[in-house]
């Protein structure tokens, strides 16, 4: 129940809630009054503000209020959540909620009052019952603990017995393993005819006598050799199992293994020795059946198949034992070493060739013909060789199925070099034939064995960088490359003779590619390129020295041609499309850098920089050789002089330099000097454009294919080779616009000389005033306006200085000359009409004031002369336009020419008004 407080109570209110309530009511009343008196056009704004100030929905206080149910009641947050509720209403609401809480509490007590009162009665004597339950629970706990201890003791005893049995089982397995090791050692010693430790008396005879007798027998009997190969393969399999058991037994220290290790090592040594001996005998039978001069073999195909089968078994055994390098040593010793010593020696290149050695590979049935040999001696191709492209092949040799059953593969024969007048190529061909005949089959068999056993997969932590057989790298190239460096290095790598050095380098690179062509796989090629002998062999090439010699040779020829700093044409058709010997020398230097007789792929970057330097050198020579160009200030001064004389500037006078107004005919010396300048400018432009075209063609057809592909780079400052070439050529072609401007100025000046004759047209007609003939032909000087332009481009002449520029520059140059001459024509025509106007005024002033018969006849003669002059000017202007159209100029689109035509067709009075209007409108 609410009560009304008195003023005294309000004064005692510390929060002044009544005063705040009164202020809130006053504010609401003012807002309602303002809403009634607001203007009509503020309805929209007020509605939007009402939406923004809309009060939230009224939520009554309840137990679910987050502020009332919070662990710590925050008065400020609660009041802010009820900010739109007035304080009297909030006080009333809180009091109502308090009354509701009290009512719920009373109701709750009344509902559970009986249970609350009987609570103490229900718990009476519960303590005694709990004490009675405590004693049996303690006894039960003691029995459970006793059972747990007994069970744990039984479990521990069982675990100990199981552990003892496991240890016994492991010891039993270990003993079985030791027994297997002992039996395996004994069996291997018996298979290898090695005496056991107990046979002391027969040790010497068994070790020294039995194996040697057996080997002697194997050398004499092919069947015994085949059985011996299988026997050694069986021993190798047994030895592999022995090594496996020994490695497992070595997991723990074992005295028996330590005691037997020397016997295992002896077995390995004996097995390796027997295997090496058998493999060497087999290789000797294969290679010894035919000499190194490629004579036909004395072995039949069946015998070859048996020998290759034995070699395959030996290689499998080597691979199973991991003795790849031992097998390579045997092949090097039995197959390669003697051949290399007999073939590569200091005098090998000067020794006469054996007539037994054929110049073509052996013919083989079922094999495709050998690809065309690359030319490495007389006429080298324009584009040098690149790896794996020197010899064409219809199939990828690495994709052929390698078979291990002794059957030959279908790969093509070795690619043979052109050995015409090239002893080094003949030596390389001998090596290629021998490798193709005696080593290639072994490499293919070894590669197939490795591929089948998976020995190429290098295990983690292996000390061998290339596991498996690498006969091409470790045997063939190691022996051949080392012999070439040691015996023939002074001849092959001599950079003092650039031609021989390049020939040797190209022939050697072709030999290496042919040797890689015989490799059984890509992995073999990679191993060969990473071999230390291959790296040392490539470092022996003194390529920087060779480049310096070639640079000196090319630069000497170029500088000899550039000594003359004058543009002089050479009447030599062999220099076409160039006109000067200097431009032809520059292009010859560019071609020499990339010719097959000079270029080496490893020096592509150096030759490319040299190419750009040659283009820059030619630009420097042009700057020194060209005559001084007429500077823009001189042209501007000449145009300013023309403006002071009174000539119009033309429609493009603000952007175009005007030609000086001639007052008299040019002298013979001036004409000769202009002709010399025209010839020099035309020569420079022709050579620059020809060099640009030829250099671009050279880049497109040859250089772009020779340069290596640049790696992708995100650096924006990286410039591609093509962009660098275009930049160098743009420095040359930047001279062309300036030279063309000089040509236009000279030609327009010569054309304006022909216009001087038009000043005599009025005097000619006045002198012939008695003649009444109307002119029907243009004046003679019109045909002379473009005389020098036609002569320059070789039109209606034998040959002009700019004949080579006719197709590209005739129309623009003629257009520029036509524009400048038209402006000068307008100037002369305007001056002539002003002179005629002055004469007419002078005649009018001298006339008498009275005449009996009048002066009508004299006035008629003056008008007739004026009409003839105007007709002649129209004929001359039209003929001038036809001459320009014949040169490809768009006359009808030229504003200055249209003005000239209008001026020529107008009478003297109209011409005067037209002239005044033009002078008034022109900015000058």
């Amino acid at each position: 129940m609410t009560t009304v407080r008195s003023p005294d109570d309000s004064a005692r209110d510390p929060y002044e809630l009544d005063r705040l309530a009164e202020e809130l009511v006053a504010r609401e009343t003012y807002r309602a009054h303002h809403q009634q008196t607001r203007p009509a056009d503020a309805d929209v704004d007020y509605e939007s503000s009402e939406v923004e100030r809309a009060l939230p929905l009224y939520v009554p206080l309840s137990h679910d209020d987050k502020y009332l149910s919070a662990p710590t009641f925050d008065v400020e947050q609660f009041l802010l959540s009820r900010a739109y509720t007035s304080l009297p209403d909030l006080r009333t609401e809180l009091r109502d909620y308090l009354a509701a809480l009290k009512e719920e509490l009373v109701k709750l007590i009344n509902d559970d009052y009986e249970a609350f009162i009987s609570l103490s009665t229900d718990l009476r004597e519960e303590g005694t019952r709990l004490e009675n339950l405590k004693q049996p629970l303690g006894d039960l706990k003691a029995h459970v603990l006793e059972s747990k201890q007994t069970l744990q003791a039984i479990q521990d005893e069982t675990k100990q017995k199981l552990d003892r049995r496991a240890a016994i089982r492991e010891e039993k397995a270990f003993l079985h393993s030791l027994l297997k090791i002992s039996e395996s050692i004994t069996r291997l010693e018996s298979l290898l005819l090695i005496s056991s430790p107990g046979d002391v008396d027969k040790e010497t005879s068994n070790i020294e006598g039995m194996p040697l007798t057996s080997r002697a027998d194997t050398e004499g009997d092919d069947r015994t050799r085949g059985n011996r190969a299988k026997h050694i393969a069986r021993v190798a399999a047994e030895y592999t199992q022995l090594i496996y058991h020994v490695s497992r037994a070595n997991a723990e220290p074992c005295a028996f293994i330590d005691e037997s290790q020397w016997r295992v090592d002896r077995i390995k040594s004996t097995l390796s020795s027997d295997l090496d001996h058998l493999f060497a005998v087999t290789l000797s039978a294969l290679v010894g059946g035919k000499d190194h001069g490629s004579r036909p073999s004395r072995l039949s195909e069946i015998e070859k198949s048996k020998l290759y089968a034995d070699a395959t078994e030996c290689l499998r055994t080597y691979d199973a034992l991991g003795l790849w390098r031992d097998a390579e040593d045997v092949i090097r010793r039995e197959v390669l070493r003697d051949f290399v010593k007999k073939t590569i020696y200091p005098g090998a290149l000067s020794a006469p060739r054996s007539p037994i050695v054929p110049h073509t590979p052996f013919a083989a049935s079922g094999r495709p013909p050998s690809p065309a040999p690359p030319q490495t001696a007389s006429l080298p191709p324009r584009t040098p060789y690149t790896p794996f492209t020197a010899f064409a092949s219809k199939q990828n040799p690495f994709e052929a199925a390698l078979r291990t059953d002794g059957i030959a593969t279908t790969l093509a024969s070795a690619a043979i070099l052109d050995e015409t007048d090239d002893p080094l190529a003949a030596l390389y061909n001998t090596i290629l034939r021998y490798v193709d005949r005696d080593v290639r089959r072994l490499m293919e068999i070894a590669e197939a064995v490795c591929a089948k056993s998976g020995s190429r997969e290098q295990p983690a932590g292996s000390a061998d960088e290339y596991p498996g057989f690498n006969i091409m790298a470790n045997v063939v190239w190691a022996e051949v490359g080392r012999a070439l460096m040691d015996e023939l290095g002074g001849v092959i790598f001599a950079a003092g003779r650039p031609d021989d050095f390049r020939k040797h380098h190209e022939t050697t690179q072709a030999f290496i590619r042919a040797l890689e062509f015989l490799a059984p796989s890509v992995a073999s090629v990679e191993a060969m390129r990473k071999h230390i002998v291959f790296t040392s062999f490539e470092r022996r090439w003194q390529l920087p020295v060779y480049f310096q010699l070639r640079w000196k040779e090319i630069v000497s020829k170029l500088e000899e041609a550039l000594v003359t700093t004058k543009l002089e044409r050479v009447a030599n058709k062999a220099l076409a499309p160039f006109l000067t010997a200097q431009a032809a020398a520059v292009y010859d230097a560019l071609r020499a850098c990339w010719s097959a007789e000079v270029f080496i792929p490893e020096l592509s970057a150096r030759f490319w920089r040299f190419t750009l330097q040659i283009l820059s050198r030619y630009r420097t020579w042009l700057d020194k050789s060209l005559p001084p160009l007429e500077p823009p200030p001189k042209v501007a001064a000449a145009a300013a002089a023309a403006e002071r004389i009174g000539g119009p500037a033309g429609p493009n006078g603000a952007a175009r330099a005007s030609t000086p107004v001639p007052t008299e005919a040019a002298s013979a010396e001036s004409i000769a000097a202009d002709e010399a300048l025209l010839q020099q400018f035309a020569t420079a432009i022709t050579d620059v454009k020809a060099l640009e075209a030829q250099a671009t063609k050279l880049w497109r057809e040859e250089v772009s294919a020779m340069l290596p592909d640049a790696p992708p780079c995100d650096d924006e400052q990286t410039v591609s080779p093509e962009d660098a070439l275009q930049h160098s050529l743009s420095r040359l072609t930047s001279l062309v616009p300036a030279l063309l401007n000089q040509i236009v100025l000279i030609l327009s000046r010569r054309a304006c000389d022909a216009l001087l004759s038009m000043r005599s047209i009025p005097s000619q007609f006045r002198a012939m005033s008695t003649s009444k003939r109307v002119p029907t032909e243009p004046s003679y000087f019109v045909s002379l306006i473009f005389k020098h332009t036609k002569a320059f481009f070789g039109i209606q002449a034998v040959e002009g200085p700019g004949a080579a520029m006719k197709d590209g520059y005739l129309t623009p140059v003629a257009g520029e000359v036509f524009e400048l001459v038209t402006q000068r024509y307008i100037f002369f025509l305007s001056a002539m009409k002003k002179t005629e106007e002055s004469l007419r005024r002078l005649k009018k002033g001298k006339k008498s004031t009275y005449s009996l018969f009048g002066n009508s006849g004299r006035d008629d003669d003056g008008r007739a002369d004026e009409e003839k002059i105007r007709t002649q000017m129209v004929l001359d202007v039209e003929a001038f336009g036809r001459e320009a159209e014949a040169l490809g100029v768009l006359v009808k689109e030229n504003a200055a020419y249209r003005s000239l035509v209008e001026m020529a067709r107008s009478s003297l009075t109209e011409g005067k008004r037209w002239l005044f209007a033009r002078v008034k409108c022109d900015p000058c």
Side-chain angles (χ1 to χ4, degrees), residues 523-563:
S524 300
V525 176
E526 294 177 353
M528 172 182 166
R529 292 183 179 180
K530 294 181 179 180
H531 198 272
I532 185 173
V533 176
F534 188 87
T535 306
S536 302
F537 188 86
E538 290 296 325
R539 280 201 298 263
R540 287 290 298 273
W541 295 108
Q542 301 177 15
L543 295 180
V545 177
Y546 169 79
F547 176 77
Q548 290 296 330
L549 295 176
R550 289 299 190 185
W551 182 88
K552 183 177 180 180
E553 176 185 344
I554 296 173
V555 168
S556 299
K557 295 180 181 179
L558 179 61
E559 291 298 331
E560 182 179 354
L562 298 181
V563 169

Side-chain angles (χ1 to χ4, degrees), residues 353 357-360 373-374 376-377 416-430 433:
R353 267 186 245 175
V357 179
H359 293 279
T360 57
T376 59
I416 302 303
L417 309 180
D418 182 10
E419 57 188 45
T420 305
D421 298 331
D422 191 352
L424 182 61
L427 174 65
Y428 288 155
N429 286 339
T430 303
R433 292 189 184 100

Side-chain angles (χ1 to χ4, degrees), residues 507-646:
T507 304
T508 304
Q509 295 301 320
F511 164 69
I512 293 174
R513 289 190 296 273
L515 203 60
E516 292 174 348
F517 185 81
L518 298 176
S521 65
V522 178
S524 300
V525 176
E526 294 177 353
M528 172 182 166
R529 292 183 179 180
K530 294 181 179 180
H531 198 272
I532 185 173
V533 176
F534 188 87
T535 306
S536 302
F537 188 86
E538 290 296 325
R539 280 201 298 263
R540 287 290 298 273
W541 295 108
Q542 301 177 15
L543 295 180
V545 177
Y546 169 79
F547 176 77
Q548 290 296 330
L549 295 176
R550 289 299 190 185
W551 182 88
K552 183 177 180 180
E553 176 185 344
I554 296 173
V555 168
S556 299
K557 295 180 181 179
L558 179 61
E559 291 298 331
E560 182 179 354
L562 298 181
V563 169
T564 304
T565 57
K566 185 178 181 181
L567 287 166
E568 295 181 353
R569 295 198 177 196
V570 180
N572 187 359
K573 295 183 178 180
L575 300 180
F578 302 102
L579 301 179
T580 61
Q582 290 79 11
V586 170
Y587 181 63
D588 290 341
L590 294 180
R591 287 196 308 170
C593 293
W594 305 97
S595 63
E597 294 82 3
V598 175
F599 179 74
I600 292 180
E602 288 77 2
L603 296 174
S604 58
R606 293 173 181 255
F607 279 114
W608 177 244
R609 287 194 297 269
F610 188 31
T611 300
L612 300 180
Q613 292 172 358
I614 292 173
L615 294 176
S616 178
R617 177 67 180 90
Y618 182 59
R619 169 58 193 263
T620 304
W621 181 83
L622 282 177
D623 294 338
K624 295 181 179 179
S625 303
L626 285 172
L629 304 181
E630 186 174 358
K634 182 177 180 180
V635 179
E643 296 294 340
R644 288 195 299 271
I645 293 175

